[in-house]
mmCIF file of all heavy atoms in Angstrom:
data_model
loop_
_atom_site.group_PDB
_atom_site.id
_atom_site.type_symbol
_atom_site.label_atom_id
_atom_site.label_comp_id
_atom_site.label_asym_id
_atom_site.label_seq_id
_atom_site.Cartn_x
_atom_site.Cartn_y
_atom_site.Cartn_z
ATOM 1 N N MET A 262 -27.987 11.041 6.524
ATOM 2 C CA MET A 262 -27.954 9.658 6.222
ATOM 3 C C MET A 262 -26.738 9.485 5.089
ATOM 4 O O MET A 262 -26.852 10.274 4.155
ATOM 5 C CB MET A 262 -29.293 9.026 5.700
ATOM 6 C CG MET A 262 -29.254 7.671 5.261
ATOM 7 S SD MET A 262 -30.821 7.020 4.654
ATOM 8 C CE MET A 262 -31.800 7.093 6.188
ATOM 9 N N SER A 631 9.443 -12.255 9.168
ATOM 10 C CA SER A 631 10.394 -11.366 9.743
ATOM 11 C C SER A 631 9.939 -10.097 10.421
ATOM 12 O O SER A 631 10.738 -9.220 10.777
ATOM 13 C CB SER A 631 11.506 -10.944 8.650
ATOM 14 O OG SER A 631 10.837 -10.264 7.684
ATOM 15 N N ASP A 640 -4.690 -9.998 16.183
ATOM 16 C CA ASP A 640 -4.515 -10.628 17.357
ATOM 17 C C ASP A 640 -5.146 -9.965 18.593
ATOM 18 O O ASP A 640 -5.013 -10.495 19.696
ATOM 19 C CB ASP A 640 -2.960 -10.839 17.745
ATOM 20 C CG ASP A 640 -2.221 -9.514 17.645
ATOM 21 O OD1 ASP A 640 -2.769 -8.486 17.383
ATOM 22 O OD2 ASP A 640 -1.019 -9.629 17.776
#
Side-chain angles (χ1 to χ4, degrees):
M262 180 180 293
S631 59
D640 54 1

